[in-house]
């Protein structure tokens, strides 16, 4: 059963449906410096923030064809930071005027026994990777420039190799459902990063 | 009366500083032309012209400013003419006007243009009046159109030459890489060693115990875990029928559970 688009559902209960608006692009390694400089100029003035995260994606297989996906992320360079559990829904397609990819998003901070909990619940890890890069912010927009590393030995985050010669650039906003003007702001910001990076909405289903 | 005098003084000062700037830039331009004419490049000449034009613009703005009284209404009358050197005057004019005498005054206090210039201006005004308003308007429009066409052509040429020059050497991103990275993040393409395409391997059927009936289902879960994995399917359907009609709602059931913990102070 396909769930109806989340923006049409009434808001019941105490929490508001948060949507993630997303634009993605990539930049080759040798152009990373110029991109970082430009972002430092465009974004809010703060100390450049780097991160090293280990993300594990868990699947729960049910009777439906599509398994349920949860993403667990932990910081490898910040000790004591909570783990981050995230649910991302199916992207809402159909509206050609919307410039960004929109999907339902639920974010929770958890304690360290997250993986055990998920395994007990019946989730199984599908894949994992290490993300290393920079984080910038501009108002409510978050820009991440990071490199994805494949983990060669499952569970061992030291043996990694880069997946490609590029950095992935993601511009994302988490906002309550229904605020479509956010995508306009994102597109304007993306314009300023051309021609270094082309941020666009990429439908993952097209790449399967 | 006081206010007007103050205004006059203030605007005169502003005018004075603008004119001094203009004089300096003119002076440097002339120096450049006279002394460096063999090394001079067109862009450098353009720069000087641009500077002059900018300064003339600001001068115009100062004159048009609302706080400037109409200078046209002011009259300067020489009160004393003397053939002696005037030190004050020398200082104020930076040594250019040593004597305030009857030779100097007609040049400096002149308000009418030169006779030749006056003739030319009269000629131009009669010509302009002779053409007539419509023809004049048409000429103005055609001039504007030609200017805009020219501007468009120039900007197009500039754009084309820039992109042509940049494309071969400055490829800053690779679309194939973008797709690969997005696929990796979205569903793990290329990440897992034993599942190269990211599709599911020997998937363990998930248990619906994550639903809202955790406490009640725990007993059922223990029963399930006892069974071998290959037998999970029939057990699963049995369990699901026992939980009245929760099948279709499984994902949303999980969502409601997790949502209750979502108001955490350090969400990323």
């Amino acid at each position: 059963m396909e769930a109806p688009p989340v923006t049409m559902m009434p808001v019941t209960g105490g929490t508001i449906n948060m949507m993630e608006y997303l634009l993605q692009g990539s930049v080759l390694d040798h152009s990373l410096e110029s991109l970082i400089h430009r972002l430092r100029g465009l974004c809010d003035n703060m100390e450049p923030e780097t991160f090293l995260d280990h993300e594990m994606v868990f699947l729960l297989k049910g009777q439906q064809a599509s398994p349920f996906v949860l993403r667990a992320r932990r910081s490898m360079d910040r000790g004591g930071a909570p783990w981050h559990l995230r649910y991302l829904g199916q992207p809402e397609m159909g509206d050609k005027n919307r410039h960004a990819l929109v999907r339902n998003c639920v974010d929770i901070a958890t304690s360290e026994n997250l993986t055990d909990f998920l395994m007990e619940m019946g989730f199984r890890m599908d894949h994992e990777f290490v993300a290393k890069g920079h984080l910038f912010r501009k108002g409510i927009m978050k820009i991440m420039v990071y490199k994805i590393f494949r983990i060669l030995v499952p569970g061992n985050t030291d043996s990694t190799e880069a997946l490609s010669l590029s950095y992935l650039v993601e511009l994302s906003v988490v906002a309550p459902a229904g605020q479509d003007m956010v995508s306009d702001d994102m597109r304007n910001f993306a314009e300023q990063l051309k021609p270094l990076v082309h941020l666009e909405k990429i439908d993952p289903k097209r790449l399967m | 009366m006081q206010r007007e005098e103050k205004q006059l003084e203030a605007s005169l000062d502003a005018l004075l500083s603008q004119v001094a700037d203009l004089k300096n830039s003119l002076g440097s331009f002339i120096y450049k032309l006279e002394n460096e004419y063999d090394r001079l490049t067109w862009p450098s000449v353009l720069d000087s012209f641009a500077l002059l034009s900018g300064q003339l613009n600001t001068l115009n703005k100062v004159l048009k400013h609302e706080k400037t009284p109409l200078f046209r209404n002011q009259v300067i009358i020489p009160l004393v003419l003397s053939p002696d050197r005037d030190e004050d005057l020398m200082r104020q004019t930076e040594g250019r006007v040593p004597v305030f005498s009857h030779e100097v005054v007609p040049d400096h206090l002149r308000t009418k243009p030169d006779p030749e210039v006056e003739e030319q201006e009269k000629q131009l005004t009669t010509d302009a009046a002779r053409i007539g308003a419509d023809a004049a308007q048409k000429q103005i429009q055609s001039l504007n159109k030609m200017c805009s066409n020219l501007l468009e052509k120039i900007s197009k040429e500039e754009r084309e030459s820039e992109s042509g020059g940049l494309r071969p050497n400055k490829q800053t991103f690779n679309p194939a890489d973008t797709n690969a990275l997005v696929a990796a993040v979205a569903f793990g393409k290329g990440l897992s060693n034993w599942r190269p395409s990211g599709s599911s391997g020997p998937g363990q059927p998930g248990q619906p115990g994550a639903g809202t009936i955790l406490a009640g289902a725990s007993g059922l879960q223990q029963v399930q875990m006892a069974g071998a994995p290959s037998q999970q399917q029939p057990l699963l359907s049995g369990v699901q029928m026992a939980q009245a009609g929760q099948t279709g709602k499984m994902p949303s059931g999980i969502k409601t559970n997790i949502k209750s913990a979502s108001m955490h102070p350090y969400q990323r």
Side-chain angles (χ1 to χ4, degrees):
Chain A
M1 177 189 100
E2 204 65 55
V6 181
T7 43
M8 276 165 41
M9 287 172 18
V11 175
T12 53
T15 58
I16 307 171
N17 273 330
M18 297 299 270
M19 309 297 285
E20 187 200 34
Y21 296 79
L22 184 66
L23 283 176
Q24 288 166 310
S26 77
V27 72
L28 292 168
D29 285 350
H30 55 75
S31 307
L32 176 72
E33 276 308 305
S34 14
L35 179 65
I36 300 275
H37 281 296
R38 199 183 277 208
L39 283 172
R40 280 185 72 173
L42 288 171
C43 298
D44 292 346
N45 193 12
M46 41 175 247
E47 280 305 309
E49 216 173 291
T50 58
F51 65 91
L52 178 63
D53 283 352
H54 173 210
E55 176 156 330
M56 293 168 271
V57 178
F58 289 86
L59 289 186
L60 184 65
K61 292 235 173 261
Q63 284 205 328
Q64 298 112 308
S66 57
F68 185 71
V69 179
L70 275 183
R71 294 163 187 275
R73 205 156 173 149
R74 70 175 177 104
S75 170
M76 280 164 60
D77 56 350
R78 258 168 263 241
W83 284 54
H84 179 213
L85 184 66
R86 176 171 247 216
Y87 164 75
L88 289 171
Q90 289 301 316
E92 284 181 25
M93 304 308 294
D95 189 357
K96 290 287 180 290
N97 291 337
R98 217 184 273 144
H99 307 289
L101 196 75
V102 185
R103 45 194 188 179
N104 191 21
C105 154
V106 183
D107 288 302
I108 313 104
T110 72
S111 57
E112 291 161 357
N113 48 1
L114 179 62
T115 38
D116 297 335
F117 179 71
L118 289 173
M119 301 293 261
E120 291 295 319
M121 296 247 286
F123 284 83
R124 292 292 171 262
M125 189 173 80
D126 183 59
H127 59 271
E128 54 178 349
F129 60 87
V130 169
K132 178 173 161 53
H134 305 258
L135 174 69
F136 299 88
R137 246 179 282 269
K138 185 174 172 69
I140 54 169
M141 293 194 285
K142 181 169 79 165
I143 300 101
M144 292 196 289
V145 181
Y146 59 98
K147 206 163 176 60
I148 298 179
F149 292 86
R150 187 193 300 154
I151 294 179
L152 299 168
V153 176
N156 183 2
T157 51
D158 292 326
S159 65
T160 60
E161 73 166 2
L163 190 62
S164 83
L165 293 173
S166 296
Y167 276 70
L168 182 63
V169 183
E170 277 187 353
L171 168 63
S172 66
V173 174
V174 176
Q179 295 204 356
D180 277 346
M181 59 282 282
V182 158
S183 63
D184 290 334
D185 290 338
M186 289 171 73
R187 189 182 50 142
N188 291 340
F189 187 78
E191 288 288 316
Q192 300 189 327
L193 289 180
K194 290 185 179 172
L196 274 181
V197 188
H198 268 243
L199 287 174
E200 50 191 359
K201 79 171 170 182
I202 303 178
D203 183 11
K205 289 201 274 279
R206 247 192 325 122
L207 304 170
M208 268 193 165
Chain B
M1 218 40 226
Q2 261 297 27
R3 197 167 48 91
E4 279 167 20
E5 281 180 14
K6 276 210 177 58
Q7 269 190 352
L8 186 62
E9 240 177 83
S11 52
L12 271 176
D13 284 336
L15 211 58
L16 207 60
S17 62
Q18 284 299 322
V19 171
D21 284 341
L22 195 59
K23 180 174 78 80
N24 285 335
S25 33
L26 267 173
S28 61
F29 189 32
I30 293 176
Y31 179 84
K32 207 162 44 163
L33 280 174
E34 282 181 355
N35 297 9
E36 301 173 10
Y37 59 86
D38 44 355
R39 287 190 299 268
L40 210 52
T41 58
W42 179 237
S44 157
V45 171
L46 273 182
D47 279 343
S48 315
F49 271 126
L51 183 62
L52 287 170
S53 120
Q55 286 179 337
L56 280 169
N57 256 336
T58 31
L59 192 62
N60 267 334
K61 269 202 221 125
V62 168
L63 283 172
K64 277 199 212 133
H65 191 48
E66 53 202 17
K67 289 231 176 73
T68 341
L70 283 172
F71 289 130
R72 206 183 281 260
N73 299 346
Q74 315 283 344
V75 181
I76 303 182
I77 321 172
L79 290 177
V80 176
L81 287 177
S82 79
D84 307 322
R85 271 174 87 86
D86 192 352
E87 286 309 317
D88 260 344
L89 193 56
M90 272 274 283
R91 224 177 343 106
Q92 284 205 339
T93 56
E94 296 169 14
R96 278 171 284 129
V97 185
V99 187
F100 199 59
S101 68
H102 41 274
E103 300 163 340
V104 163
V105 162
D107 283 332
H108 281 81
L109 298 185
R110 172 196 295 277
T111 46
K112 248 174 118 178
D114 276 349
E116 301 113 20
V117 176
E118 222 182 329
E119 265 306 309
Q120 283 184 349
E121 254 204 78
K122 209 156 54 147
Q123 188 78 7
L124 281 172
T125 21
T126 42
D127 280 344
R130 206 171 353 116
I131 293 181
D134 285 336
Q137 194 69 343
K138 275 210 203 82
Q139 286 189 357
I140 293 173
Q141 276 174 2
S142 57
L143 179 66
N144 281 341
K145 204 158 42 139
M146 278 196 278
C147 282
S148 53
N149 278 349
L150 204 59
L151 272 173
E152 228 183 82
K153 277 208 176 80
I154 293 175
S155 57
K156 197 163 55 149
E157 194 55 48
E158 195 185 28
R159 247 184 294 133
E160 280 174 5
S161 74
E162 237 182 51
S163 58
L166 283 179
R167 219 178 285 130
N169 31 356
K170 289 249 188 89
Q171 190 74 3
T172 53
F173 66 94
N174 182 358
D177 270 353
T178 313
N179 288 342
L181 287 169
V182 171
V185 179
F187 46 86
K189 192 171 189 178
L191 285 178
S192 323
N193 289 338
W194 59 92
R195 288 195 289 259
S197 65
S199 59
S200 51
Q204 314 256 345
Q207 299 169 6
T212 41
I213 326 177
L214 250 184
S218 55
L220 294 163
Q221 277 184 341
Q222 283 171 5
V223 170
Q224 280 189 333
M225 280 200 241
S230 54
Q231 292 172 7
Q232 289 244 1
Q233 278 295 0
L235 276 174
L236 200 66
S237 41
V239 166
Q240 286 198 332
M241 280 196 285
Q243 296 173 1
Q246 284 276 333
T247 0
K249 289 214 196 124
M250 197 169 60
S252 53
I254 295 175
K255 221 194 281 180
T256 28
N257 235 14
I258 292 174
K259 260 192 192 160
S260 58
S262 68
M263 292 292 122
H264 199 283
Y266 20 92
Q267 276 191 35
R268 214 187 287 181

